Amino acid sequence: MSAPPRSSDRGRWHIERFAELDSTNRYVLDAARDGAADGLVAVADVQTAGRGRLDRTWEASAGSSLLVSVLVRAPAAPTRVVMAAGVALVRAVADAADVAAVLKWPNDVVVGERKLAGVLAEADGEAVVVGAGCNVNWAEFPPELVATATACNLEAGRPVDRDALLDAYLDELARALASGDALIADYRTHLATVGRRVRVQQVRGPDLVGVAIGVTDDGALVVRDDHDVEHTVTTADVVHLRAP
Ligand code: BTN
């Protein structure tokens, strides 16, 4: 049987810390279906089946990363919760690790073009579970990540305290969720994709190449392709390209 979590409270959040879980998103989603209250947070030192966007896995060795999921029972659209998580992560790595990061649409936290953190939201009715995985203290990356990933310790030049990062993230997330109409403006401020030449790898449909020209209030990316046709994209991966 797995060890019971250590519990604590911080503002609106009730935090359960686990040594190991299959997936903090899976845990919080199941808890939501069983009636858990808004504000439940699960944190794990390691996940055995971490979930990434677009049905990928999320890998992180024990203790290397902040692996956290929160339950928001929101009348607001899930996309607002996802935007809030992205904004909160960018602010939290600045607050707790002095790392200057930006967002790559929709919610990758990047330094330069290297990925520092990712966000995965899953919803069940009005319950939104937003999970974040942030590379905190990595000695080295596996070969498949070495060219594309970074970590807080590598950017800061010092080890970074995961608990301090968690506290900063939860404080910033509470603030972002309460920020009303300012949230979309804050999201746009941190988003580095608009104005960039991009390749959009769509889940359904061909790749698009063009310039990202905006983000709708619902968080969709607007891209003008090289034939001057505008596309509004809701689910895709984006690659920032160099200007031709
Ligand atoms: C992405 O693909 O960029 C999103 C990755 C999200 C990973 C986090 S780790 C904590 C939470 N639990 C999961 O199983 N996934 C998210």
Side-chain angles (χ1 to χ4, degrees):
M1 224 175 84
S2 58
R6 285 184 295 125
S7 296
S8 59
D9 293 297
R10 186 176 180 87
R12 70 178 275 181
W13 308 114
H14 174 70
I15 306 164
E16 297 187 358
R17 286 184 169 79
F18 295 83
E20 179 180 310
L21 276 178
D22 52 347
S23 156
T24 56
N25 263 35
R26 192 283 306 157
Y27 177 84
V28 176
L29 203 52
D30 280 359
R33 289 175 177 140
D34 289 345
D38 173 90
L40 175 65
V41 177
V43 184
D45 287 334
V46 69
Q47 298 181 125
T48 54
R51 302 175 182 174
R53 286 181 64 239
L54 307 179
D55 286 333
R56 299 186 187 117
T57 58
W58 184 262
E59 310 289 346
S61 59
S64 68
S65 297
L66 176 63
L67 306 167
V68 55
S69 299
V70 312
L71 171 57
V72 180
R73 290 197 179 275
T79 50
R80 288 184 64 84
V81 182
V82 181
M83 282 186 221
V87 168
L89 273 173
V90 168
R91 291 177 172 167
V93 297
D95 298 346
D98 298 316
V99 172
V102 292
L103 293 173
K104 178 169 77 72
W105 188 89
N107 252 306
D108 283 355
V109 178
V110 297
V111 179
E113 298 304 324
R114 288 178 180 270
K115 184 159 171 172
L116 182 70
V119 172
L120 172 68
E122 301 182 77
D124 188 75
E126 100 305 358
V128 181
V129 175
V130 63
C134 181
N135 302 329
V136 181
N137 292 309
W138 284 66
E140 59 183 15
F141 287 104
E144 66 276 15
L145 294 179
V146 80
T148 56
T150 190
C152 292
N153 64 316
L154 303 176
E155 298 299 331
R158 61 173 171 86
V160 169
D161 184 337
R162 266 190 315 161
D163 288 336
L165 183 60
L166 173 66
D167 287 351
Y169 173 63
L170 293 177
D171 291 352
E172 293 290 0
L173 184 57
R175 199 168 299 142
L177 287 168
S179 66
D181 289 344
L183 175 61
I184 178 73
D186 290 340
Y187 175 77
R188 288 183 174 119
T189 298
H190 292 294
L191 187 68
T193 302
V194 173
R196 291 289 302 256
R197 189 164 169 75
V198 291
R199 174 179 301 110
V200 179
Q201 298 165 326
Q202 302 191 94
V203 173
R204 280 172 289 278
D207 284 8
L208 304 171
V209 176
V211 175
I213 58 171
V215 172
T216 69
D217 288 356
D218 295 331
L221 185 69
V222 184
V223 175
R224 184 182 296 125
D225 73 18
D226 289 346
H227 308 285
D228 232 16
V229 178
E230 279 186 22
H231 304 261
T232 301
V233 178
T234 54
T235 309
D237 273 334
V238 162
V239 180
H240 289 166
L241 302 174
R242 291 181 200 285

